[in-house]
Amino acid sequence: MKKMIAGFCLCLLSLNAAAQAEATTAKEVMTCMSKVVPGGMVIGQTLRFETVRAGDERAQELLASLFLRVHREGDGDYRSHAVMHVGAPEYLAGSAYLLRESDGLNGEDGMYVYLPSIDRVRQVTGGFGETALMDTKFSYNDFRHWQGLFGNADVSFVGTVDRQGRPTHLLEVRADKPQKVTHDRVRVAVDAAHCLVMEAEFYNNAQLSKRLTVDAEHLRQFGHFWYPVRLTMRDFVNNGYTVLNVERVRAVPNPRDGLFDPARFHRAD
């Protein structure tokens, strides 16, 4: 199994890398993706989720703050930490979610959720990771994925095609333990110019169950960095969709102590 670190950099800022249209292997694409992720800083984002369920045309909103930190481990390799604090709706306010990627030597990646209703931190394990993230169409594992973390997975290069008028590399990711996840295969489309994921299709036993998309018109530049301001997750099993809007991006010069600590991540800023 190969360690796929840079699969989804959707909510991380990405550097404007040179075009990689000549890539012919999964390693070349992942190397490009890993090099464009900024390290040594904490990035803050303001997020707005809008979820529409089957039979209900009204969108339910969830507002949250996301904080990201990347540790570079060497050439083309890094580990990511991410924490999300929910501000609204009122019944979910104060909830928090933490992701810590393992270095591959000291155990599995860590995922933790804090729910004010029970006033405790719970580690996300097994089937719980496939449940909905705070009533959205993203699961806890999907949240893990769009932070660029797949754990151990088989990754293969499918080819380069034209998507939205842009050269796009296609990768296929297969779960290392398919019996423990809802999606045993993910087809990933990576923009060759910016090394950003523009589409991801989630399959279970050859059935397409979810599709995550980013339109090229929703890419924005922040200094030397690129990031998407709008992502859409469509659920083909239960129907409905969630639109994720990235409304603000900023550097956090003095993050509070314990922001990425499993015992303290849920505390207010």
Side-chain angles (χ1 to χ4, degrees):
M1 298 291 184
K2 289 184 276 186
K3 181 70 174 175
M4 183 171 183
I5 303 296
F8 281 158
C9 298
L10 291 174
C11 280
L12 288 171
L13 292 175
S14 286
L15 286 168
N16 183 10
Q20 298 292 317
E22 71 279 5
T24 58
T25 68
K27 182 178 180 179
E28 289 173 342
V29 178
M30 290 188 293
T31 297
C32 177
M33 296 173 73
S34 68
K35 287 182 178 180
V36 301
V37 176
M41 67 179 72
V42 173
I43 299 296
Q45 299 184 10
T46 300
L47 308 179
R48 177 166 52 88
F49 297 81
E50 298 176 330
T51 300
V52 176
R53 294 176 177 80
D56 189 353
E57 297 181 355
R58 296 171 300 175
Q60 296 185 355
E61 286 194 346
L62 183 145
L63 305 179
S65 297
L66 181 70
F67 300 93
L68 306 163
R69 182 175 65 188
V70 175
H71 294 283
R72 292 201 178 277
E73 302 297 320
D75 186 21
D77 193 17
Y78 62 89
R79 291 186 295 125
S80 299
H81 295 164
V83 63
M84 186 174 77
H85 293 160
V86 177
E90 185 176 356
Y91 73 95
L92 289 175
S95 301
Y97 180 71
L98 170 68
L99 173 79
R100 291 175 58 91
E101 185 183 17
S102 167
D103 60 8
L105 300 175
N106 300 318
E108 297 182 351
D109 300 337
M111 294 187 289
Y112 306 86
V113 61
Y114 171 77
L115 300 175
S117 59
I118 59 175
D119 193 23
R120 62 177 295 185
V121 173
R122 177 178 179 181
Q123 187 164 9
V124 179
T125 59
F128 186 76
E130 296 296 335
T131 59
L133 172 65
M134 309 298 178
D135 289 343
T136 71
K137 289 298 180 178
F138 290 88
S139 72
Y140 286 91
N141 283 338
D142 292 338
F143 176 79
R144 176 177 181 268
H145 291 162
W146 46 261
Q147 297 312 314
L149 310 177
F150 277 92
N152 293 318
D154 282 327
V155 186
S156 58
F157 180 79
V158 177
T160 300
V161 299
D162 184 84
R163 291 279 183 91
Q164 303 183 47
R166 307 162 68 93
T168 304
H169 303 311
L170 300 181
L171 299 179
E172 186 164 282
V173 184
R174 291 187 177 271
D176 60 329
K177 298 177 181 179
Q179 70 278 11
K180 292 187 177 182
V181 296
T182 299
H183 309 109
D184 54 18
R185 181 168 61 93
V186 184
R187 178 67 68 92
V188 182
V190 181
D191 179 74
H194 301 313
C195 298
L196 284 170
V197 173
M198 304 298 288
E199 182 178 274
E201 293 184 331
F202 299 81
Y203 292 87
N204 182 27
N205 294 325
Q207 179 184 0
L208 176 63
S209 57
K210 286 184 177 182
R211 179 184 290 123
L212 182 65
T213 56
V214 178
D215 292 335
E217 64 180 299
H218 292 140
L219 296 181
R220 297 291 185 271
Q221 192 168 4
F222 177 73
H224 297 291
F225 305 100
W226 286 87
Y227 67 100
V229 295
R230 185 181 176 93
L231 308 88
T232 301
M233 176 71 86
R234 294 193 176 276
D235 183 346
F236 298 110
V237 176
N238 299 307
N239 296 318
Y241 60 90
T242 292
V243 175
L244 169 57
N245 300 280
V246 181
E247 299 190 331
R248 183 188 177 198
V249 177
R250 64 195 184 280
V252 183
N254 297 301
R256 69 169 176 80
D257 292 339
L259 181 60
F260 302 101
D261 184 338
R264 296 185 289 167
F265 71 95
H266 55 286
R267 296 181 182 176
D269 294 338

